[in-house]
Amino acid sequence: MADLENRIPCLTNKFIEIYGVPPQTIVRAPGRVNLIGEHTDYNDGYVLPIAIDRDILIGAAPSAEPTVCLYSVNFDRISMFSLDDIMRDPINDWSDYPRGVAYMLQKRRKKIGGANLVIQGDIPLAAGLSSSAALEVASAMAFQALDEFEMSGPEMALLCQAAENEFVGVNCGIMDQFISRLGRKNHALFIDCRTLEHEAVPLPEDGIKVIVADTLKKRGLVDSEYNVRRAQCEEAVSILRTYLPSIKALRDVTAPDFRRYGRELPPTVRRRAEHVIMENSRVLESVEALRHGKLALFGRLMNQSHESLCDKYEVSCRELNALAEAAWRIPGVYGSRMTGAGFGGCTVSLVAADAVEEFLERVPAEYRARIGVTPSVYVCTPEGGAEVLMNEPQEA
Ligand code: GLA
């Protein structure tokens, strides 16, 4: 966030260079890291993410033509599309996110006009920090600023999720778009992914830091395995419904119900269901722990979440385990776990402020010794969700 002061003028200059006029509006949408509640969102469950100080900025201005022109500073590429027939761009696949948002806006009968956009971001790509969700949300914010349609925060998050599901073709849950749109500074957001009720839970401002460590592993398996996990959860629900006819999702299965009927599930499906059911209770417990300043308990729940994702849900990997285990060995680390879909990406650690230095020294060194790669490590601050930074509509 601190360097927004530099990034905004750079974005404005780039905009003038490409389009010959300054942008009418500048918006930002952040990436996210999930503290706890993994693979629960698509089971109608609970999550507790934070928006982070890494984001996508978009500068935008209306254009006279019924086309949208996108320029990506990061890729130094232009991609254009007609609003009359929005299709994917296989050469510039980064542009599919704004394209998908425009497509969904039209599908929901929001009137949008032609526009020129410049996109710049500092969220590491393909690291599991939701750069795609941030790009979707930033695009929706830009169109909203230009075209002035009504849309609540939750409605925008749902629209961006639909763009990703229906247009881009990735079957994600609601967490990433929701936190990018509705995060709150210095808070984690406790989200009920069924009702979309949400509550900002304060994080202590002094004394603790959130550290994200990136394995730098390519997440090759993530999309196919993600869909397999979703299908296994659905299978669990359909079998358990024989005994518990009122359940709609794994969110509705209590721990005592599971102890009773879990044995009816095939072994792999049983392990997947157990993770989701116990992870939901861990989120509820961790929100209480945070409210009462019980950071040690919160950290233990994070560690349990990691173990369950590793052993029961089987979405961790050698690299994620190496990072989490290195963190666990440092006194002053409350908890550490893989975050996001898995198979690579990042860990998130909750660290006492006076242990940060040791963390930054030891975790990358141990990871390098075990895996042979130096991980990227970021000390993150919990930021607010998407916002309009500037909007100066021109007189017609
Ligand atoms: C990805 C998806 C989210 C969520 C997580 C796992 O980030 O986009 O919707 O399912 O994986 O918790």
Side-chain angles (χ1 to χ4, degrees):
M1 285 292 277
D3 63 344
L4 271 187
E5 282 155 32
N6 297 325
R7 285 166 66 210
I8 291 174
C10 284
L11 186 82
T12 305
N13 289 340
K14 200 72 199 173
F15 200 97
I16 295 171
E17 188 188 315
I18 309 259
Y19 300 115
V21 290
Q24 173 185 306
T25 187
I26 298 179
V27 299
R28 69 167 269 279
R32 66 97 186 89
V33 64
N34 188 19
L35 297 182
I36 193 162
E38 218 64 82
H39 288 278
T40 46
D41 63 350
Y42 54 84
N43 288 297
D44 277 2
Y46 306 109
V47 293
L48 188 68
I50 61 171
I52 56 173
D53 52 334
R54 299 278 170 151
D55 51 45
I56 305 266
L57 297 182
I58 295 185
S63 109
E65 307 299 317
T67 53
V68 175
C69 183
L70 306 163
Y71 172 74
S72 157
V73 175
N74 300 69
F75 296 111
D76 188 21
R77 301 280 307 198
I78 284 191
S79 176
M80 277 179 78
F81 61 94
S82 156
L83 285 169
D84 298 331
D85 184 17
I86 306 180
M87 283 181 301
R88 281 163 52 178
D89 177 351
I91 298 168
N92 296 293
D93 51 5
W94 54 270
S95 76
D96 290 344
Y97 303 102
R99 285 164 183 263
V101 167
Y103 171 86
M104 283 312 302
L105 284 168
Q106 288 187 335
K107 202 169 162 190
R108 300 275 155 87
R109 309 216 173 282
K110 302 287 178 197
K111 223 173 127 27
I112 57 170
N116 293 324
L117 274 63
V118 169
I119 302 167
Q120 193 273 334
D122 67 359
I123 309 171
L125 299 179
L129 298 176
S130 292
S131 55
S132 339
L135 178 50
E136 289 153 5
V137 172
S139 305
M141 293 291 290
F143 285 120
Q144 188 179 39
L146 296 183
D147 298 301
E148 299 181 337
F149 50 81
E150 293 280 318
M151 186 172 281
S152 71
E155 221 185 320
M156 188 180 284
L158 284 167
L159 179 122
C160 291
Q161 182 202 13
E164 181 134 357
N165 294 166
E166 292 176 33
F167 188 87
V168 182
V170 175
N171 212 5
C172 63
I174 186 63
M175 167 168 73
D176 306 342
Q177 291 79 6
F178 203 93
I179 182 65
S180 181
R181 178 63 186 82
L182 288 138
R184 185 147 144 219
K185 195 171 172 58
N186 297 327
H187 289 69
L189 201 62
F190 170 43
I191 310 166
D192 177 335
C193 299
R194 168 173 281 166
T195 62
L196 297 188
E197 278 167 339
H198 50 284
E199 186 194 328
V201 187
L203 285 171
E205 278 175 50
D206 301 317
I208 65 159
K209 295 281 175 207
V210 176
I211 303 187
V212 170
D214 186 350
T215 59
L216 300 181
K217 186 188 176 209
K218 291 238 172 337
R219 300 183 308 149
L221 278 173
V222 69
D223 289 346
S224 57
E225 288 296 321
Y226 189 85
N227 290 338
V228 171
R229 296 301 178 284
R230 285 192 74 138
Q232 289 165 332
C233 292
E234 280 160 27
E235 188 183 340
V237 173
S238 82
I239 298 173
L240 290 173
R241 213 180 266 141
T242 320
Y243 311 94
L244 303 162
S246 64
I247 64 166
K248 294 197 172 60
L250 283 177
R251 140 76 173 276
D252 302 310
V253 182
T254 63
D257 280 344
F258 186 73
R259 278 197 291 277
R260 217 152 146 208
Y261 302 114
R263 68 176 78 98
E264 308 296 336
L265 300 172
T268 306
V269 172
R270 187 191 316 156
R271 286 202 304 281
R272 307 295 188 246
E274 184 179 347
H275 164 75
V276 174
I277 293 163
M278 299 316 292
E279 184 80 350
N280 274 327
S281 336
R282 277 190 287 272
V283 179
L284 297 177
E285 212 182 326
S286 65
V287 169
E288 277 310 297
L290 207 51
R291 283 194 188 116
H292 295 99
K294 294 183 178 164
L295 295 178
L297 172 59
F298 189 91
R300 278 201 300 280
L301 292 161
M302 288 176 79
N303 298 349
Q304 286 168 15
S305 165
H306 181 85
E307 280 168 349
S308 173
L309 287 158
C310 185
D311 303 334
K312 306 265 193 271
Y313 218 64
E314 295 178 280
V315 291
S316 188
C317 59
R318 223 177 116 236
E319 292 82 354
L320 286 167
N321 295 345
L323 281 178
E325 285 160 20
W328 291 342
R329 281 192 280 275
I330 296 176
V333 170
Y334 291 107
S336 184
R337 58 180 285 276
M338 59 151 280
T339 183
F343 298 101
C346 296
T347 59
V348 58
S349 307
L350 204 63
V351 184
D354 56 12
V356 169
E357 204 174 314
E358 190 177 354
F359 187 106
L360 297 178
E361 244 164 58
R362 280 180 52 192
V363 172
E366 282 187 34
Y367 184 77
R368 189 173 176 81
R370 263 177 87 176
I371 308 290
V373 174
T374 307
S376 302
V377 180
Y378 316 94
V379 181
C380 290
T381 53
E383 291 299 333
E387 62 190 317
V388 176
L389 298 171
M390 185 275 275
N391 193 22
E392 287 166 3
Q394 315 294 311
E395 294 301 314

